[in-house]
Amino acid sequence: MLKTIRIVAVALTVVIGGLGAWAWWQTQQRVTASGDGSGLVTNVSIGGPFTLTNHLGETVTDADFGDQLRLIYFGYTFCPDVCPTELGNISLALDELGDDLEHVTPVLITVDPERDTPEVLRDYVPLFHEKLVGLTGSREAIDDVARAYRVFYRRVEDPDYTYYLMDHTSFVYLMGPDGEFLSMYNYGTAPTEMANAIRHHIAG
Ligand code: NI
């Protein structure tokens, strides 16, 4: 009986994981370049309301960024390569904005809230940019906001180590002052390209 339950559980995990990957792949198929250099666009709805906790321990909602553009990235502090690289690119793009930086708030939303407490984020986000806001929350709240942004991730155990990693999609989302989706950028987009696209949206 126990064995049957275990087999069913494994089968369910495979099916659910497969569905997640399929949904993610479907989303990627609908991502196209905007044509005017402002970034990638998609006809899939992206974004939505959230209530999370920032790296200072304060409650933050999607409505708390005033008339700022929001540059949103999903990742986690334990990430060995992809997140530091992309957060570094974001930081370079922000530095290229000059005076336009005042119109943009960069945000890191963790997909690993179990390890990424506000305290951990508080030590991490200033390494990349003084304006970077780190957001965490309950596993449920993180799952909800990740789903709204079509972010796919999964926990990966490594039998050789005592820690785990998170596989995750790596897009940077540019959202408007009302939280509306403006465009997104692939992992590895050149900082200058991202800065130009942000300026394009600031100019309106
Ligand atoms: Ni990462």
Side-chain angles (χ1 to χ4, degrees):
M1 184 59 184
L2 201 60
K3 203 170 187 182
T4 310
I5 290 173
R6 219 174 271 149
I7 290 168
V8 168
V10 167
L12 271 177
T13 304
V14 169
V15 167
I16 291 168
L19 279 174
W22 181 80
W24 172 80
W25 183 81
Q26 283 288 307
T27 304
Q28 308 319 300
Q29 296 317 299
R30 300 200 213 170
V31 173
T32 49
S34 61
D36 61 4
S38 63
L40 301 172
V41 292
T42 173
N43 60 0
V44 175
S45 120
I46 287 182
F50 59 76
T51 301
L52 297 168
T53 303
N54 72 10
H55 60 285
L56 302 175
E58 303 159 339
T59 300
V60 171
T61 78
D62 53 291
D64 286 346
F65 297 101
D67 58 1
Q68 295 270 295
L69 297 182
R70 307 98 197 254
L71 199 58
I72 299 183
Y73 183 73
F74 288 78
Y76 67 115
T77 67
F78 202 78
C79 186
D81 42 29
V82 171
C83 293
T85 303
E86 199 53 36
L87 289 168
N89 285 341
I90 288 172
S91 173
L92 289 171
L94 294 171
D95 287 342
E96 282 194 34
L97 287 177
D99 289 345
D100 284 335
L101 176 61
E102 65 176 304
H103 301 295
V104 183
T105 299
V107 180
L108 166 66
I109 301 180
T110 183
V111 295
D112 184 20
E114 286 80 12
R115 282 183 299 202
D116 286 341
T117 61
E119 292 73 23
V120 169
L121 289 171
R122 192 179 57 210
D123 289 339
Y124 187 77
V125 291
L127 300 175
F128 295 95
H129 202 276
E130 59 182 3
K131 284 196 80 175
L132 183 60
V133 175
L135 294 180
T136 187
S138 65
R139 170 45 70 192
E140 192 185 8
I142 293 295
D143 286 347
D144 284 348
V145 68
R147 202 174 301 121
Y149 280 80
R150 313 283 171 154
V151 171
F152 176 65
Y153 54 91
R154 67 190 178 103
R155 183 174 158 142
V156 182
E157 308 290 342
D158 189 326
D160 293 337
Y161 298 99
T162 53
Y163 56 80
Y164 61 91
L165 297 173
M166 303 291 288
D167 265 358
H168 63 96
T169 47
S170 186
F171 279 108
V172 180
Y173 302 90
L174 183 65
M175 311 299 286
D178 296 317
E180 74 276 23
F181 172 81
L182 295 178
S183 64
M184 57 203 280
Y185 312 103
N186 271 324
Y187 172 73
T189 298
T192 302
E193 194 180 317
M194 224 187 301
N196 288 341
I198 292 167
R199 273 204 203 89
H200 171 98
H201 286 288
I202 290 174

